[in-house]
PDB file of all heavy atoms in Angstrom:
ATOM      1  N   VAL A  51      71.028 -36.607  18.145  1.00 98.00           N
ATOM      2  CA  VAL A  51      71.998 -37.350  17.343  1.00 98.00           C
ATOM      3  C   VAL A  51      71.678 -38.850  17.368  1.00 98.00           C
ATOM      4  O   VAL A  51      71.371 -39.413  18.417  1.00 98.00           O
ATOM      5  CB  VAL A  51      73.438 -37.096  17.859  1.00 98.00           C
ATOM      6  CG1 VAL A  51      74.444 -37.982  17.172  1.00 98.00           C
ATOM      7  CG2 VAL A  51      73.801 -35.631  17.662  1.00 98.00           C
ATOM      8  N   ASN A  52      71.748 -39.487  16.193  1.00 98.00           N
ATOM      9  CA  ASN A  52      71.473 -40.918  16.017  1.00 98.00           C
ATOM     10  C   ASN A  52      72.765 -41.723  15.941  1.00 98.00           C
ATOM     11  O   ASN A  52      73.785 -41.210  15.492  1.00 98.00           O
ATOM     12  CB  ASN A  52      70.743 -41.163  14.687  1.00 98.00           C
ATOM     13  CG  ASN A  52      69.392 -40.518  14.629  1.00 98.00           C
ATOM     14  OD1 ASN A  52      68.462 -40.981  15.262  1.00 98.00           O
ATOM     15  ND2 ASN A  52      69.279 -39.448  13.866  1.00 98.00           N
ATOM     16  N   PHE A  53      72.677 -43.002  16.314  1.00 98.00           N
ATOM     17  CA  PHE A  53      73.752 -43.958  16.064  1.00 98.00           C
ATOM     18  C   PHE A  53      73.130 -45.088  15.247  1.00 98.00           C
ATOM     19  O   PHE A  53      72.388 -45.910  15.769  1.00 98.00           O
ATOM     20  CB  PHE A  53      74.336 -44.487  17.374  1.00 98.00           C
ATOM     21  CG  PHE A  53      75.671 -45.193  17.226  1.00 98.00           C
ATOM     22  CD1 PHE A  53      76.590 -45.150  18.252  1.00 98.00           C
ATOM     23  CD2 PHE A  53      76.015 -45.913  16.089  1.00 98.00           C
ATOM     24  CE1 PHE A  53      77.832 -45.792  18.156  1.00 98.00           C
ATOM     25  CE2 PHE A  53      77.236 -46.544  15.962  1.00 98.00           C
ATOM     26  CZ  PHE A  53      78.147 -46.493  17.002  1.00 98.00           C
ATOM     27  N   ASN A  54      73.425 -45.110  13.931  1.00 98.00           N
ATOM     28  CA  ASN A  54      72.851 -46.073  12.995  1.00 98.00           C
ATOM     29  C   ASN A  54      73.851 -47.181  12.701  1.00 98.00           C
ATOM     30  O   ASN A  54      74.995 -46.902  12.359  1.00 98.00           O
ATOM     31  CB  ASN A  54      72.477 -45.371  11.684  1.00 98.00           C
ATOM     32  CG  ASN A  54      71.540 -44.212  11.929  1.00 98.00           C
ATOM     33  OD1 ASN A  54      70.485 -44.372  12.514  1.00 98.00           O
ATOM     34  ND2 ASN A  54      71.946 -43.028  11.484  1.00 98.00           N
ATOM     35  N   ILE A  55      73.386 -48.427  12.811  1.00 98.00           N
ATOM     36  CA  ILE A  55      74.259 -49.566  12.541  1.00 98.00           C
ATOM     37  C   ILE A  55      73.654 -50.394  11.416  1.00 98.00           C
ATOM     38  O   ILE A  55      72.583 -50.990  11.576  1.00 98.00           O
ATOM     39  CB  ILE A  55      74.456 -50.436  13.802  1.00 98.00           C
ATOM     40  CG1 ILE A  55      75.028 -49.589  14.945  1.00 98.00           C
ATOM     41  CG2 ILE A  55      75.362 -51.627  13.487  1.00 98.00           C
ATOM     42  CD1 ILE A  55      75.056 -50.306  16.273  1.00 98.00           C
ATOM     43  N   ASN A  56      74.350 -50.410  10.280  1.00 98.00           N
ATOM     44  CA  ASN A  56      73.985 -51.261   9.158  1.00 98.00           C
ATOM     45  C   ASN A  56      75.047 -52.333   8.942  1.00 98.00           C
ATOM     46  O   ASN A  56      74.798 -53.311   8.248  1.00 98.00           O
ATOM     47  CB  ASN A  56      73.824 -50.435   7.875  1.00 98.00           C
ATOM     48  CG  ASN A  56      72.864 -49.281   8.082  1.00 98.00           C
ATOM     49  OD1 ASN A  56      73.288 -48.140   8.204  1.00 98.00           O
ATOM     50  ND2 ASN A  56      71.582 -49.563   8.157  1.00 98.00           N
ATOM     51  N   GLY A  57      76.210 -52.148   9.523  1.00 98.00           N
ATOM     52  CA  GLY A  57      77.324 -53.090   9.436  1.00 98.00           C
ATOM     53  C   GLY A  57      77.475 -53.834  10.753  1.00 98.00           C
ATOM     54  O   GLY A  57      76.508 -54.377  11.274  1.00 98.00           O
ATOM     55  N   THR A  58      78.695 -53.815  11.312  1.00 98.00           N
ATOM     56  CA  THR A  58      79.000 -54.556  12.538  1.00 98.00           C
ATOM     57  C   THR A  58      79.591 -53.624  13.589  1.00 98.00           C
ATOM     58  O   THR A  58      80.533 -52.892  13.321  1.00 98.00           O
ATOM     59  CB  THR A  58      80.028 -55.678  12.252  1.00 98.00           C
ATOM     60  OG1 THR A  58      79.525 -56.522  11.223  1.00 98.00           O
ATOM     61  CG2 THR A  58      80.302 -56.503  13.496  1.00 98.00           C
ATOM     62  N   LEU A  59      79.026 -53.678  14.798  1.00 98.00           N
ATOM     63  CA  LEU A  59      79.595 -52.981  15.950  1.00 98.00           C
ATOM     64  C   LEU A  59      80.033 -54.028  16.958  1.00 98.00           C
ATOM     65  O   LEU A  59      79.268 -54.936  17.291  1.00 98.00           O
ATOM     66  CB  LEU A  59      78.580 -52.043  16.602  1.00 98.00           C
ATOM     67  CG  LEU A  59      79.037 -51.395  17.919  1.00 98.00           C
ATOM     68  CD1 LEU A  59      80.243 -50.494  17.696  1.00 98.00           C
ATOM     69  CD2 LEU A  59      77.911 -50.626  18.571  1.00 98.00           C
TER      70      LEU A  59
END
Side-chain angles (χ1 to χ4, degrees):
V51 173
N52 296 287
F53 195 149
N54 304 304
I55 303 171
N56 307 104
T58 304
L59 173 63

